[in-house]
Amino acid sequence: MAVQAVERVTSFGPAVALSCRECGERFDLGPVFACASCFGPLEVAYELPAGDPEGLRRRIESGPANIWRYAPLLPVPADVADKPNLNPGFTALVRADNLARELGVTGGLFVKDDSGNPTHSFKDRVVAVAVEAARAFGFTTLSCSSTGNLAGAVGAAAARAGLRSCVFIPHDLEAGKVVMAAVYGGDLVGIEGTYDDVNRFCSELIGDPAGEGWGFVNVNLRPYYGEGSKTLAYEICEQLGWRLPDQIVVPVASGSQLTKIDKGLRELIALGLVEDRPYRIFGAQATGCAPVSRAYKDGHDVVRPVKPDTIAKSLAIGNPADGPYVLDIARRTGGAVEDVTDEEVVDAIRLLARTEGIFAETAGGVTVGVTRKLLREGVLDPSLTTVVLNTGDGLKTLDAVAAGPRATIRPSVEAFREAGLG
């Protein structure tokens, strides 16, 4: 295997190279995302601070209450917390005892609620790391292809960082996500077609003079962007008292979040920050866009693209780039990949809201719905500690759930009683 010479770039902290996930070849840190030899995806390789787990744990715990407490494990400079950014992360890990009783979970059920981030989705994490890479490479415009949440996160992060933003979305997204992406003053462009069409267009724009000086967070900055999802794994383990969850259920769109959560868990084990013991990772998709779930059930290693048709638009990626790696992780850890119908998604949104006071967007309904389905089928073990991800706020997907007043009455106690309310 040929290994290129790698120079240490101090602005990327412990990161030392980009490494191909297929052939292992290494490349200098730069705005590239595919291996020049085999076209495999690149990811960040590190020299992490090993040898003193207790010291590292104390350093993390004394850090800011956001993702930058984990700066020693991310491709960012040591002074990242002092720069203008949205400071996402360290969101609530909610002990969901009411939901656990409904589902029959006895081993402890938790919801990692990332709706508490600045733009109300987990995308703030990945964008925050990508912004630091954009700064290091001298990009002046921040861009992305998005199913909605990422567009808003990029717009907000660019505004805070003093960068221009130009983001691209499918033309038929939920109105709430369109408004949130547009309000930050950047350029929002709707593309006629699906997310996969939008993503292909962005890949073409990178090679065109019109895209010169642009950092596409999920294309040419993708290796750095993806590392932000590791912070979900770090936080979950720290919030559980520096221990691994037994089971974790993760929504799958491109699949990057799930693969990086697994990477984060393995890093914590290697650094001695958590005890090395088995954990299981489960992927969750909507039936109307379930190419990874279908491949898992059919026993295939190749994920066949599909045309999305689901209310869970944030997960509507018909050709998921990390799909094969999701399959590998689910099988390696003893997990699974499952899907639920749109009707089950809506019912799960209502269930989570009714039991725990958390209003999830449709992706959260997918994870809760899949969790319930896997428990019913005996795939998830109800006696083990289980973490379910809610990656966004239900206010962004209001069209998915019909709700309103139980009654409209005159302002009198008599009318209250007549309505059967007292």
Side-chain angles (χ1 to χ4, degrees):
M1 178 186 69
V3 179
Q4 295 189 1
V6 175
E7 294 181 3
R8 183 61 175 266
V9 181
T10 56
S11 61
F12 289 96
V16 295
L18 295 178
S19 177
C20 177
R21 291 166 71 177
E22 290 295 324
C23 71
E25 184 169 359
R26 287 194 167 197
F27 301 88
D28 291 350
L29 293 163
V32 291
F33 60 97
C35 176
S37 297
C38 73
F39 303 106
L42 300 179
E43 66 176 359
V44 179
Y46 298 92
E47 289 179 1
L48 294 176
D52 183 15
E54 290 303 321
L56 179 57
R57 189 180 290 118
R58 287 193 298 270
R59 181 179 174 186
I60 290 171
E61 291 174 343
S62 66
N66 54 55
I67 64 171
W68 306 132
R69 69 200 283 115
Y70 307 109
L73 311 180
L74 295 171
V76 296
D79 64 347
V80 62
D82 299 327
K83 298 185 178 185
N85 59 66
L86 295 179
N87 298 322
F90 221 63
T91 55
L93 183 69
V94 179
R95 186 176 181 98
D97 290 340
N98 296 328
L99 180 61
R101 282 192 290 273
E102 289 265 353
L103 299 182
V105 175
T106 58
L109 180 64
F110 297 83
V111 176
K112 180 59 172 171
D113 186 13
D114 245 24
S115 66
N117 276 310
T119 68
H120 308 290
S121 89
F122 91 96
K123 292 295 187 180
D124 289 322
R125 298 174 181 271
V126 291
V127 171
V129 178
V131 166
E132 294 310 307
R135 284 184 172 127
F137 298 134
F139 290 133
T140 56
T141 297
L142 210 61
S143 186
C144 70
S145 52
S146 173
T147 56
N149 284 328
L150 181 57
V154 167
R160 180 69 61 86
L163 298 171
R164 179 201 175 202
S165 69
C166 183
V167 299
F168 302 91
I169 59 173
H171 68 286
D172 59 350
L173 285 187
E174 302 97 335
K177 290 181 180 177
V178 173
V179 172
M180 179 163 247
V183 74
Y184 300 109
D187 293 320
L188 177 67
V189 181
I191 300 291
E192 296 176 357
T194 67
Y195 170 81
D196 298 294
D197 297 318
V198 179
N199 199 40
R200 281 193 295 271
F201 166 77
C202 287
S203 297
E204 293 175 7
L205 192 56
I206 288 175
D208 190 275
E212 187 172 348
W214 287 33
F216 290 80
V217 300
N218 54 345
V219 189
N220 59 350
L221 295 176
R222 188 175 183 84
Y224 313 93
Y225 157 95
E227 295 298 286
S229 288
K230 295 192 308 181
T231 60
L232 279 162
Y234 299 157
E235 288 178 21
I236 289 168
C237 290
E238 182 178 355
Q239 290 168 323
L240 287 175
W242 291 108
R243 63 186 179 90
L244 295 167
D246 297 313
Q247 304 174 136
I248 182 167
V249 185
V250 183
V252 173
S254 72
S256 175
Q257 183 186 64
L258 186 148
T259 65
K260 291 304 186 289
I261 286 174
D262 177 65
K263 184 179 181 182
L265 296 178
R266 288 186 286 113
E267 286 176 350
L268 293 182
I269 293 170
L271 290 167
L273 293 175
V274 296
E275 179 186 355
D276 185 3
R277 60 185 181 81
Y279 61 85
R280 304 168 72 198
I281 296 183
F282 297 83
Q285 294 200 292
T287 302
C289 185
V292 186
S293 175
R294 175 51 52 200
Y296 175 82
K297 294 175 182 177
D298 291 344
H300 296 161
D301 296 325
V302 175
V303 177
R304 298 183 61 181
V306 301
K307 184 175 182 179
D309 182 17
T310 173
I311 61 170
K313 293 184 179 180
S314 62
L315 303 183
I317 297 180
N319 189 16
D322 283 354
Y325 302 107
V326 170
L327 295 173
D328 291 343
I329 291 166
R331 290 163 178 158
R332 170 171 56 79
T333 64
V337 188
E338 186 54 90
D339 59 270
V340 286
T341 66
D342 284 355
E343 291 76 15
E344 291 172 304
V345 171
V346 172
D347 189 56
I349 291 172
R350 292 181 176 277
L351 173 64
L352 182 60
R354 174 172 58 81
T355 56
E356 299 298 341
I358 297 172
F359 184 19
E361 72 162 28
T362 48
V366 169
T367 53
V368 173
V370 164
T371 299
R372 177 167 56 181
K373 185 174 183 178
L374 292 174
L375 285 164
R376 286 174 174 171
E377 295 176 351
V379 180
L380 272 171
D381 187 336
S383 70
L384 299 179
T385 301
T386 304
V387 176
V388 178
L389 266 61
N390 172 43
T391 53
D393 195 318
L395 292 174
K396 294 186 175 189
T397 56
L398 289 174
D399 291 347
V401 180
R406 179 175 171 184
T408 300
I409 63 172
R410 301 183 308 279
S412 71
V413 174
E414 181 182 5
F416 178 74
R417 291 197 177 103
E418 288 176 353
L421 298 172

